[in-house]
């Protein structure tokens, strides 16, 4: 059934389904700061088992989950190496620097979303009082919709171990990557010391992320969660949404990927839009406009009941509240904006 409003701004805009709401209403709760919320404890066990890790801690947001991960790895004056467009560097308010006194060393991503490990090597600082101490390498999966190859993840794991660095994954859309690769999530997470996974993006929960990893690092992260104001009380109702999402919304991510591919094909046929096909692996489509007309396009589409974020390229994100009929509607509206008739 087509949506009244088609919102392609992000996969964070989904609303809880009826089944998820029922699970939330029925959740058993307790005080999570005391470790007494049984539903939170169950969620943390489930995600630890799925990712093959020792422990997990539930956080209210992906920003906080990433931050407590960085704080668990790094001391004041340490440095982490990260992508120039990485979420932990560019889109999380500089939290690692502001709140942790952790220096970022950003590098440009390769076209496939990886960080070239030979380049990373050249930016690892000598152990010398003049320099920040390089402590951590941070990767992102997916990165602008691209899925990091399993072979590369294994190489990155060996790379950091040989250099005595930690390895953190911003795995906000890790499950998209796992579905794309047709592998268990643990095949992606196994090389990392810590992994942040988001429940409120493609999985459709109203909020919540988890930091998963070695128990000693998760214990440190749990303390930092409290320091940052992320200690929560009877939060089992939200954790129940996450449990429901993991049980019911992972396999269906392939539908979002198929819709993104359909959107890519449709927009590629429009003169005035150029789609970056290399990014269309999971649920994101990036469309470059022949002129920077993104604000006008966004305004035009808004009157058609379609929401996008202006930019050049324009990022369009499919999710569980977008169906195939919506994709046809979006393509038709974009074609109309550029003054082209249906083929």
């Amino acid at each position: 059934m087509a949506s009244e409003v088609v919102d392609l701004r992000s996969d964070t805009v989904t609303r809880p389904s009826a089944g998820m709401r029922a699970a939330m209403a029925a959740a058993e709760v307790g005080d999570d700061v005391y470790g007494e919320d049984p539903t939170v404890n169950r969620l943390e066990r489930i995600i630890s088992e799925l990712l093959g890790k020792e422990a997990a801690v539930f956080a209210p947001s992906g920003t906080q989950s990433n931050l407590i991960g960085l704080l668990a790895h790094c001391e004041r004056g340490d440095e982490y190496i990260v992508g120039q467009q990485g979420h932990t560097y560019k889109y999380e308010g500089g939290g690692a620097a502001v709140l942790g006194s952790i220096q970022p060393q950003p590098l440009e991503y390769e076209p496939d979303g990886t960080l070239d490990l030979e380049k990373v090597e050249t930016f690892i600082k000598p152990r010398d009082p003049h320099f920040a101490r390089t402590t951590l390498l941070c990767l992102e999966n997916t990165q602008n919709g691209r899925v990091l190859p399993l072979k590369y993840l294994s190489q990155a794991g060996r790379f950091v171990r040989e250099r005595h660095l930690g390895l953190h994954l911003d795995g906000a859309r890790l499950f998209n990557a796992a579905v794309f690769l047709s592998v268990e999530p643990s095949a992606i997470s196994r090389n990392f010391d810590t992994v942040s996974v988001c429940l409120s993006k493609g999985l459709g929960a109203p909020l919540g992320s988890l930091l998963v990893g070695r128990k000693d690092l998760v214990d440190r992260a749990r303390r930092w969660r409290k320091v940052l104001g992320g200690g929560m009380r009877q939060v089992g109702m939200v954790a129940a949404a996450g449990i429901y999402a993991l049980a019911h919304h992972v396999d269906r991510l392939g539908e979002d990927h198929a819709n993104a591919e359909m959107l890519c094909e449709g927009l590629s046929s429009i003169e005035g839009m150029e789609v970056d096909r290399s990014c269309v692996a999971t649920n994101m489509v990036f469309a470059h406009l022949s002129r920077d007309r993104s604000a006008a396009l966004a305004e035009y589409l808004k009157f058609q009941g379609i929401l996008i974020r202006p930019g050049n390229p324009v990022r369009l994100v499919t999710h569980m509240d977008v169906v195939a009929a919506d994709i046809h509607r979006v393509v038709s509206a974009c074609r109309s904006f550029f003054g082209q008739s249906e083929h």
Side-chain angles (χ1 to χ4, degrees):
M1 179 176 170
S3 308
E4 182 177 344
V5 175
V6 183
D7 195 338
L8 298 175
R9 292 173 298 171
S10 178
D11 47 8
T12 61
V13 300
T14 57
R15 294 175 175 84
S17 64
M20 182 177 285
R21 290 172 183 268
M24 294 171 71
E28 189 178 359
V29 300
D31 192 318
D32 179 47
V33 172
Y34 290 132
E36 295 175 356
D37 191 302
T39 309
V40 172
N41 294 341
R42 182 179 166 215
L43 172 62
E44 291 175 349
R45 287 194 300 272
I46 289 171
I47 199 71
S48 297
E49 291 172 4
L50 278 174
L51 270 61
K53 297 300 182 185
E54 293 177 341
V57 57
F58 186 42
S61 70
T63 294
Q64 188 172 105
S65 180
N66 274 321
L67 179 56
I68 62 177
L70 298 181
L71 291 169
H73 281 280
C74 302
E75 303 290 342
R76 290 169 58 88
D78 284 355
E79 171 187 86
Y80 75 109
I81 297 176
V82 63
Q84 189 76 246
Q85 302 298 319
H87 207 276
T88 60
Y89 170 64
K90 187 173 181 179
Y91 296 106
E92 295 181 358
V98 173
L99 302 174
S101 297
I102 304 167
Q103 173 175 292
Q105 172 60 72
L107 306 180
E108 289 294 341
Y109 284 115
E110 298 303 305
D112 62 357
T114 63
L115 289 175
D116 185 321
L117 297 177
E118 291 185 2
K119 292 180 182 177
V120 171
E121 173 82 66
T122 66
F123 282 89
I124 297 174
K125 306 296 188 290
R127 290 303 171 99
D128 181 295
H130 292 86
F131 304 110
R133 184 179 65 169
T134 306
T135 303
L136 180 68
L137 174 62
C138 182
L139 301 177
E140 187 171 292
N141 200 10
T142 62
Q143 202 288 312
N144 273 353
R146 300 179 179 92
V147 176
L148 303 189
L150 292 178
K151 182 179 179 181
Y152 171 79
L153 299 182
S154 296
Q155 292 169 342
R158 289 193 299 272
F159 177 88
V160 296
R161 287 191 295 273
E162 290 169 359
R163 291 153 183 83
H164 306 290
L165 304 178
L167 187 60
H168 173 73
L169 178 66
D170 178 359
R173 296 179 176 88
L174 180 148
F175 288 98
N176 289 87
V179 168
F180 174 81
L181 294 171
S182 299
V183 299
E184 294 297 323
S186 58
I188 295 172
S189 61
R190 64 166 55 107
N191 295 289
F192 294 87
D193 299 298
T194 52
V195 179
S196 174
V197 291
C198 188
L199 302 172
S200 65
K201 290 191 168 71
L203 298 185
L207 62 90
S209 290
L210 293 118
L211 183 76
V212 190
R214 289 199 336 250
K215 186 176 185 304
D216 62 315
L217 290 170
V218 171
D219 286 346
R220 292 185 66 185
R222 190 177 292 276
R223 176 184 178 275
W224 278 116
R225 184 190 70 165
K226 180 64 177 176
V227 172
L228 295 172
M232 298 175 286
R233 303 301 180 179
Q234 290 73 27
V235 74
M237 288 181 288
V238 180
I243 293 171
Y244 185 92
L246 291 170
H248 297 91
H249 294 169
V250 173
D251 291 342
R252 63 147 309 281
L253 289 171
E255 299 173 24
D256 299 340
H257 302 172
N259 283 335
E261 180 64 30
M262 186 190 311
L263 181 60
C264 171
E265 291 296 323
L267 297 182
S268 296
S269 68
I270 299 175
E271 186 177 343
M273 300 189 81
E274 180 181 345
V275 177
D276 186 350
R277 290 176 177 271
S278 69
C279 292
V280 187
T282 54
N283 67 325
M284 294 185 187
V285 176
F286 291 83
H288 296 261
L289 308 185
S290 56
R291 292 174 294 177
D292 194 353
R293 303 175 65 189
S294 61
L297 176 61
E299 190 66 19
Y300 178 83
L301 293 179
K302 185 176 180 180
F303 281 104
Q304 315 299 316
I306 300 165
L307 301 180
I308 66 170
R309 292 178 63 182
N312 199 6
V314 175
R315 188 188 76 161
L316 307 168
V317 186
T318 57
H319 49 79
M320 61 188 299
D321 289 351
V322 174
V323 298
D326 298 325
I327 300 300
H328 297 303
R329 177 177 158 193
V330 171
V331 172
S332 178
C334 289
R335 185 173 287 122
S336 176
F337 174 80
F338 285 98
Q340 299 171 38
S341 61
E342 297 283 353
H343 293 294

